[in-house]
Amino acid sequence: MKSRMKFVEIMSLWLLLVGISGCEKTPLPDPNPEPFTLHGVFILNQGGNKQNNASLSFYDPASQTVSTVPFPSESEPGQNEALGDLGQDLLIYGSKLYIVVSNSSYIRVLDVKTKQSLGKIVLEDNEKKPRNPRYLAAYGGKVYVTCSTDGTVARIDTASLQTDGSVNVGANPEGIAASIYNAKLYVANSGFGTGNTVSVIDIATFREEATIETGLNPNIIRAGDQTFAYLSYQGNFGDIAGGFQRIDLRNHAVTTLGAYPKADFAWEDGVIFYYDITYNPVDWSTQVTYGKFNDTGESYAHPSPLITDGTQLTAPYAIAVEPYTETVYLADAGDYSNPGTIYVFDPAGKQTDAFTVGIIPCKIVFY
Amino acid sequence: MVKHFLFIWLGCVCGVCGSFAQQDTVRSYDLQEVEIRSSLPQSSFRTTAPLQTLSADKLEQIQALQLSDAVKHFAGVQVKDYGGIGGLKTVSIRSLGANYTGVAYDGITVADYQTGQIDLGRFSLDNIAQIRLTTGGSDDIFQPARNLSLGGLIEIIPQAFVPSEAKRDEIKVGLRTGSWKMANPFASYSRALGKALVWNMSGEYLSSQGNYPFRMDGEKRRRNHSEVANGKWEGNLTGTLRNDGQLTIKAYYYDSDRNIPGAVISGNTYAGERVKDRNAFAQAGYKQTLNAHWALLLNAKYSYSFMHYFNRLYLDRESRYTQRETYLSATLRYRYSQRLSFAWANDGSSGNFRAIHKDKRFLPSRATILSALSGKYETSRLTVNASGLLQAIQESSSETVSLPDRWHLSSSAGVSVQPVERWPLRLRISYRNTYRLPTFSDIYYPSIPNTRLKPENAHQHNVGGVFVTSLGNLFPYLSFSADAYYNRVENKIVAIPLSSLALWSVQNHGKADIKGFDLNATAHIRFASGFSAEIGGNYTRQEVLNEQKQLLRYTPRHFATALATLKTPWCDLNYSLVYCGNRYYNETPSWESLVAAYADQGLSIARNIHYRAYRLHLSAECLNFTNRPYEIVHAYPMPGRSFRLGIKCIY
């Protein structure tokens, strides 16, 4: 058993090295081509639903301090305004940070370095109904956002910060991924728990060109520069369980890997880092598992541990991996109404840091 | 002689308590007395647990439109208000939570199987003789068992017309109008039917645009999608039969169509929620003294309520809720002697509930049997009461989930004593144990229904004293009361997210320790030549902690209310104040989670004009006259300064 673990670790390390070297050979079209050094970590705090208390925390690794990013009021100079209601997703693309605030139905854009506001992209339909933006993806100078209420993907021009197009997908789309491999967008159509498809959008024509049948209630989808995308789906929280699927981008074949993860996961250099929550419907206790695996059946079945020092989180809600370091950041939403905590783990799974952020930390990005 | 005098005086102070022989019919239907004595303070001098009352003229003074406006002036009461006329208003007594507060309309409680919380915005105050709030146990043992099963009970006692030889009928018409297109016409007609009976019909309509302005992030905004239209019809037949039996029959219909503005959020002003309420009930009460020892109280009620919820934003969010309840109650009282009496109350109720959503439906029903055995010993200087209450609940559902049958036994006891005969000082101590059953929304609405939910269990303890006196001609009435309380809530029923906000369960989790004290002072001042004043105030200091010794959300440490009335020969001037200290919307006190302290102050001027047999009441009110922006619930701003004009004619 021990030797097998060792084997898995070596294999993972080897794959990782291969992955990194692979990346070096065909680098991501990163707008910052210089090698990555960590300047800071942005953490989006979702806030309570209809509480108008989403917030953005900034962690400075040099001073190990956390601050809340202020949003100066436009109408009243000297005052700050709320970030908005229900933070959902963050994306750094170019020099800009895009913040999806779902119930407020806008995307705030910040300059990553100065944290100065560059504008607000309001997403509402012709009847002024909010479109409820959800998740972001970027490709070729455009940012794409899923819009839940009207079942669309909106395209945003990153220079003008205006929407310049929209395409219909399934009902209540959630996660979105842009594939560098085939220049297509993959959109998880959740249908608020009734959907079971992923829409394929051709970026060049900006048209939905296919749908792929997936597990029930698709949630988060990630694609890198490889020929695969990965999808977590949540099921119906009842008799139909959630799980994890691999989509082959060459032929859109779907392979179910297993029952975890069902929610957020990170994909870094061919390795998937995840947390998973299962609950016991008899006593409503929750069981949280963590792990990392690469895409081999053996590695998935026996994922390597993410946490080795016995640290326990109450309600993990987001996971992110610092580029090139395998340092794992896990967000703990706690009781979902008091400020949450970010835990940092080194590649060996030892907690190296922990800091308090805002209410329900839901997304972590690095720059 | 002195003893005698004191006794008579106390009797007067106690207002509705009336004569000694009818002491434990405190909550009596003898509304004539209420009318006559409504200008006298109705003190809770003798009760073993705090009893607070607001009479009809006080209700006119405090600028109360809805029941919630009135009860927030009671000590220890916090109204959770989402703002505006259509906004949900629930009441928490001594931080127990809204589910512990019952509302009895004309003697019979209103039941809500879905949430267990009664919206006090539904009840208007136009034809009300008195509002009473009992915190903890009631000394009135001659009541239905359900009235005795609650942590706190708000009783609404309607006004009744008392015919005389000269006057066989009464007409009341009125109109109130105010800011944001508020219009509230009402009419009531009462007529004697034969010698013993009186029938009454009344109707009321209340509408408002509700689009009040507020400021957010330095930007001026208005509530939108907040239109309300409520209608109410009521018919009553009351009287004393030839065999001295007292009969009350009531039919009631209420409907409400309202748009819900929702929480105030940055950027998005769209609101698409709409609610329709249709509510009807018929109830009958009959009270009969059988002989010198025995008396019987019978009550029956059938109620139907329907609610339709619709959200324009998410067209699949449409729900219909229907609740039907049949309720029967019989209470038998045995008076062993003038001092000692016993009562045995038995209630049976059967409630059927249907919740029909687009994709699923729940059809639970619940049958409840309540049996309360109470005893009371009362002399002029001592009151002792004790009661035991048995609840048996049987529940069924179309779902595979339903609660197992269960029963609970809870107890209540209290002592009130006047230690020194010459001093008008009463000391009181009481204990009450209340079970708060899981509601249908607790059990069936979570992502995973929880059939193992236990009821919440609250222990209320109260120690206090009341001192009532007068000081010469200048202060004909002075009263002070102080009560310290300790409430412990076990097995709190709370919603707990499982892996996201969308996936949650309702569980018994944690405890709450509520410690505090209420202070009350009231003074009546009589100046020369027709000028008089009434000044009263409440102050509450409390600390509500969870198991981790954190201050629970939305529990202020301080709150206070004050009322002042100056009566002049020409008009009455009134001032009212509700103050609430800082609160936090979670358990982490910080600037971000602060829901700031506020003081809501109102002013009004009223004048009565008597012309022949007509009485004309004119009033002008300014609410929140300092225009203080505040929130009771985070992200739900309350209205700023507003005005109301009222005219009422009674013939």
Side-chain angles (χ1 to χ4, degrees):
Chain A
M1 190 66 197
K2 206 164 190 181
S3 62
R4 193 157 112 187
M5 284 299 288
K6 195 127 195 169
F7 172 75
V8 170
E9 275 170 32
I10 292 166
M11 278 296 287
S12 320
L13 199 68
W14 181 76
L15 278 166
L16 209 82
L17 289 169
V18 170
I20 290 168
S21 57
C23 279
E24 278 166 355
K25 271 179 215 153
T26 50
L28 291 166
D30 193 329
N32 304 318
E34 67 262 29
F36 184 85
T37 49
L38 186 69
H39 301 286
V41 185
F42 286 100
I43 299 111
L44 179 63
N45 306 298
Q46 186 163 74
N49 190 21
K50 304 288 168 74
Q51 302 263 301
N52 207 45
N53 59 356
S55 61
L56 184 68
S57 302
F58 180 74
Y59 176 67
D60 181 356
S63 64
Q64 293 200 315
T65 52
V66 190
S67 55
T68 304
V69 179
F71 293 89
S73 167
E74 288 163 20
S75 46
E76 208 164 19
Q79 297 281 322
N80 289 328
E81 61 180 38
L83 168 57
D85 189 50
L86 214 71
Q88 192 62 47
D89 201 12
L90 287 182
L91 176 78
I92 292 175
Y93 189 58
S95 61
K96 297 185 180 93
L97 173 69
Y98 297 82
I99 311 163
V100 175
V101 192
S102 188
N103 279 348
S104 290
S105 210
Y106 51 60
I107 298 169
R108 282 186 188 266
V109 187
L110 294 189
D111 182 283
V112 173
K113 284 202 177 75
T114 64
K115 304 190 196 81
Q116 295 298 305
S117 182
L118 299 175
K120 218 189 255 180
I121 304 154
V122 176
L123 289 148
E124 53 188 25
D125 68 8
N126 299 335
E127 294 169 44
K128 296 266 177 194
K129 273 187 187 176
R131 292 170 72 181
N132 291 92
R134 301 290 296 169
Y135 289 93
L136 297 162
Y139 190 95
K142 304 277 185 189
V143 165
Y144 297 88
V145 60
T146 51
C147 295
S148 182
T149 340
D150 59 349
T152 57
V153 171
R155 186 174 63 194
I156 292 156
D157 183 80
T158 54
S160 67
L161 297 181
Q162 302 279 326
T163 49
D164 69 355
S166 198
V167 60
N168 288 327
V169 290
N172 313 109
E174 290 279 302
I176 180 169
S179 162
I180 288 152
Y181 165 75
N182 60 4
K184 292 189 199 310
L185 295 170
Y186 291 84
V187 180
N189 299 315
S190 80
F192 277 148
T194 59
N196 66 338
T197 58
V198 161
S199 291
V200 185
I201 298 167
D202 181 61
I203 288 176
T205 61
F206 202 42
R207 287 241 172 89
E208 184 190 54
E209 60 171 28
T211 55
I212 308 166
E213 197 164 311
T214 63
L216 185 65
N217 199 0
N219 185 15
I220 302 293
I221 187 162
R222 302 209 187 281
D225 57 336
Q226 303 175 23
T227 53
F228 295 115
Y230 293 92
L231 171 77
S232 67
Y233 59 98
Q234 297 194 297
N236 66 356
F237 307 115
D239 53 337
I240 302 170
F244 195 64
Q245 290 176 326
R246 177 179 59 217
I247 301 170
D248 190 327
L249 302 186
R250 293 165 296 194
N251 54 13
H252 293 163
V254 178
T255 312
T256 302
L257 295 178
Y260 58 87
K262 299 184 278 289
D264 196 20
F265 61 94
W267 185 16
E268 186 65 26
D269 289 329
V271 181
I272 285 160
F273 299 73
Y274 75 93
Y275 67 85
D276 190 54
I277 303 175
T278 51
Y279 55 86
N280 179 348
V282 177
D283 62 359
W284 289 272
S285 58
T286 50
Q287 200 193 350
V288 186
T289 54
Y290 308 88
K292 55 186 170 187
F293 58 85
N294 56 43
D295 189 11
T296 65
E298 180 66 13
S299 176
Y300 178 81
H302 303 282
S304 312
L306 274 192
I307 302 173
T308 54
D309 62 357
T311 303
Q312 292 208 331
L313 280 72
T314 310
Y317 204 64
I319 184 166
V321 181
E322 193 184 314
Y324 308 109
T325 65
E326 237 188 288
T327 302
V328 175
Y329 286 64
L330 271 165
D332 188 352
D335 67 355
Y336 294 86
S337 45
N338 286 289
T341 311
I342 303 291
Y343 292 92
V344 186
F345 297 91
D346 67 12
K350 301 269 189 289
Q351 186 189 317
T352 56
D353 203 354
F355 50 90
T356 302
V357 287
I359 296 165
I360 318 183
C362 66
K363 181 75 185 180
I364 305 158
V365 293
F366 307 91
Y367 94 98
Chain B
M1 187 62 208
V2 172
K3 190 177 163 188
H4 221 89
F5 175 74
L6 188 71
F7 167 61
I8 291 166
W9 179 74
L10 280 177
C12 289
V13 167
C14 287
V16 284
C17 289
S19 71
F20 221 167
Q22 282 192 339
Q23 262 147 26
D24 51 2
T25 58
V26 168
R27 226 210 48 54
S28 107
Y29 288 90
D30 202 351
L31 295 168
Q32 191 178 0
E33 284 195 2
V34 173
E35 286 255 83
I36 290 166
R37 297 185 180 184
S38 60
S39 59
L40 278 175
Q42 273 120 37
S43 153
S44 51
F45 188 64
R46 307 167 77 98
T47 56
T48 58
L51 166 72
Q52 302 174 72
T53 61
L54 280 170
S55 57
D57 59 340
K58 269 274 180 284
L59 293 174
E60 275 180 1
Q61 288 164 15
I62 57 179
Q63 301 112 33
L65 182 72
Q66 293 162 298
L67 179 59
S68 49
D69 302 326
V71 296
K72 67 186 178 193
H73 285 279
F74 287 136
V77 162
Q78 279 180 281
V79 173
K80 194 174 187 184
D81 189 340
Y82 289 82
I85 285 171
L88 175 71
K89 293 161 181 65
T90 61
V91 147
S92 168
I93 297 169
R94 291 182 170 176
S95 298
L96 281 175
N99 289 68
Y100 287 90
T101 311
V103 176
Y105 193 65
D106 209 357
I108 302 180
T109 46
V110 178
D112 187 295
Y113 285 77
Q114 187 188 358
T115 64
Q117 306 185 355
I118 310 295
D119 183 3
L120 300 195
R122 255 180 62 182
F123 301 96
S124 62
L125 298 173
D126 278 319
N127 231 356
I128 302 303
Q130 198 185 39
I131 291 172
R132 302 159 64 83
L133 172 71
T134 315
T135 306
S138 170
D139 283 353
D140 179 8
I141 61 172
F142 196 35
Q143 285 208 81
R146 192 149 81 183
N147 298 28
L148 303 169
S149 70
L150 297 149
L153 180 66
I154 298 167
E155 292 166 89
I156 306 168
I157 302 165
Q159 270 174 7
F161 168 62
V162 183
S164 63
E165 284 296 322
K167 192 154 165 52
R168 303 293 291 164
D169 59 358
E170 184 190 57
I171 300 171
K172 287 183 193 176
V173 287
L175 174 69
R176 254 191 286 210
T177 176
S179 304
W180 314 304
K181 295 187 182 158
M182 192 276 274
N184 177 210
F186 71 91
S188 162
Y189 180 70
S190 306
R191 188 172 175 85
L193 191 71
K195 276 188 177 155
L197 297 174
V198 172
W199 66 265
N200 161 271
M201 285 282 287
S202 66
E204 182 187 342
Y205 178 77
L206 172 62
S207 72
S208 167
Q209 195 82 21
N211 54 341
Y212 54 86
F214 63 95
R215 282 188 87 79
M216 180 182 190
D217 294 338
E219 180 196 351
K220 203 169 177 183
R221 273 170 65 167
R222 261 178 193 280
R223 293 303 261 160
N224 66 334
H225 198 67
S226 50
E227 298 80 5
V228 181
N230 298 343
K232 193 185 89 172
W233 292 97
E234 207 179 300
N236 292 290
L237 181 68
T238 52
T240 307
L241 304 183
R242 231 171 265 166
N243 59 0
D244 246 14
Q246 287 170 33
L247 179 73
T248 317
I249 297 171
K250 181 186 291 293
Y252 175 99
Y253 175 76
Y254 169 84
D255 68 33
S256 172
D257 286 11
R258 55 194 190 274
N259 290 332
I260 298 177
V264 164
I265 57 182
S266 300
N268 178 0
T269 55
Y270 187 87
E273 291 175 291
R274 186 169 174 77
V275 168
K276 273 182 192 194
D277 265 316
R278 300 288 178 266
N279 244 294
F281 68 75
Q283 70 183 42
Y286 183 70
K287 187 151 68 173
Q288 170 85 63
T289 305
L290 301 171
N291 57 35
H293 292 293
W294 295 92
L296 183 67
L297 172 69
L298 298 171
N299 281 302
K301 179 174 182 173
Y302 177 81
S303 68
Y304 167 86
S305 57
F306 171 77
M307 184 177 126
H308 177 229
Y309 169 88
F310 178 71
N311 193 335
R312 245 187 326 154
L313 187 56
Y314 307 101
L315 295 178
D316 57 335
R317 303 244 175 109
E318 187 176 5
S319 309
R320 289 182 169 80
Y321 307 92
T322 315
Q323 178 189 304
R324 290 181 179 84
E325 191 198 42
T326 312
Y327 170 81
L328 294 169
S329 165
T331 306
L332 193 61
R333 186 186 64 190
Y334 175 73
R335 196 193 291 279
Y336 175 78
S337 69
Q338 281 251 331
R339 292 173 170 181
L340 185 63
S341 52
F342 300 94
W344 187 32
N346 286 290
D347 288 17
S349 59
S350 156
N352 291 296
F353 184 70
R354 291 160 68 90
I356 296 173
H357 310 285
K358 276 237 161 122
D359 53 339
K360 54 187 169 184
R361 53 178 59 202
F362 305 100
L363 310 161
S365 60
R366 176 182 281 174
T368 313
I369 288 176
L370 293 172
S371 185
L373 194 60
S374 327
K376 184 164 86 163
Y377 179 84
E378 189 169 50
T379 68
S380 60
R381 283 176 54 203
L382 175 72
T383 309
V384 181
N385 70 40
S387 67
L389 176 83
L390 178 76
Q391 294 187 56
I393 302 108
Q394 192 181 46
E395 196 165 291
S396 61
S397 164
S398 60
E399 301 290 296
T400 46
V401 287
S402 71
L403 286 181
D405 297 355
R406 47 167 138 209
W407 60 276
H408 303 285
L409 193 63
S410 51
S411 59
S412 170
V415 178
S416 164
V417 62
Q418 187 173 347
V420 182
E421 202 170 352
R422 284 178 296 125
W423 294 357
L425 170 72
R426 267 322 256 222
L427 301 176
R428 59 192 177 201
I429 181 164
S430 64
Y431 165 79
R432 186 182 190 77
N433 172 216
T434 308
Y435 283 95
R436 171 268 212 239
L437 290 176
T439 64
F440 286 161
S441 63
D442 292 333
I443 302 166
Y444 298 103
Y445 293 175
S447 318
I448 324 159
N450 184 352
T451 54
R452 290 186 170 196
L453 262 188
K454 287 181 277 188
E456 239 176 70
N457 191 4
H459 302 272
Q460 294 166 265
H461 309 80
N462 188 82
V463 183
V466 197
F467 185 77
V468 180
T469 187
S470 62
L471 223 92
N473 283 334
L474 189 61
F475 296 102
Y477 177 82
L478 285 170
S479 102
F480 304 94
S481 76
D483 284 280
Y485 57 90
Y486 170 54
N487 297 338
R488 199 171 79 247
V489 185
E490 294 162 350
N491 292 326
K492 272 182 81 76
I493 296 174
V494 286
I496 296 177
L498 288 175
S499 62
S500 74
L501 287 178
L503 181 63
W504 49 284
S505 69
V506 171
Q507 300 175 32
N508 294 108
H509 183 80
K511 292 175 186 167
D513 267 321
I514 304 157
K515 286 176 195 157
F517 61 83
D518 293 338
L519 300 178
N520 170 281
T522 309
H524 292 188
I525 310 165
R526 191 176 294 151
F527 306 107
S529 61
F531 284 82
S532 67
E534 292 175 16
I535 300 168
N538 293 307
Y539 168 74
T540 297
R541 171 84 173 86
Q542 65 159 13
E543 202 110 64
V544 185
L545 302 177
N546 64 11
E547 270 170 319
Q548 290 78 41
K549 302 286 171 211
Q550 294 164 314
L551 197 66
L552 271 183
R553 64 191 68 176
Y554 286 118
T555 56
R557 285 197 167 95
H558 308 270
F559 51 103
T561 64
L563 280 178
T565 300
L566 178 67
K567 293 182 176 178
T568 73
W570 313 284
C571 64
D572 291 355
L573 294 164
N574 304 300
Y575 166 83
S576 78
L577 163 78
V578 175
Y579 170 82
C580 182
N582 284 339
R583 297 139 296 151
Y584 301 92
Y585 62 65
N586 58 23
E587 283 71 35
T588 313
S590 68
W591 189 84
E592 281 85 11
S593 62
L594 176 71
V595 185
Y598 66 87
D600 185 334
Q601 301 174 81
L603 281 176
S604 71
I605 179 164
R607 181 176 176 152
N608 272 309
I609 298 169
H610 294 272
Y611 174 73
R612 294 190 184 160
Y614 299 89
R615 176 165 93 93
L616 199 64
H617 179 86
L618 301 167
S619 63
E621 299 164 8
C622 179
L623 293 89
N624 192 7
F625 67 80
T626 58
N627 207 14
R628 163 105 196 190
Y630 70 96
E631 291 174 339
I632 293 176
V633 182
H634 174 61
Y636 288 87
M638 297 294 288
R641 186 186 299 127
S642 65
F643 299 93
R644 281 204 295 247
L645 292 171
I647 179 166
K648 187 160 69 177
C649 181
I650 300 167
Y651 169 71

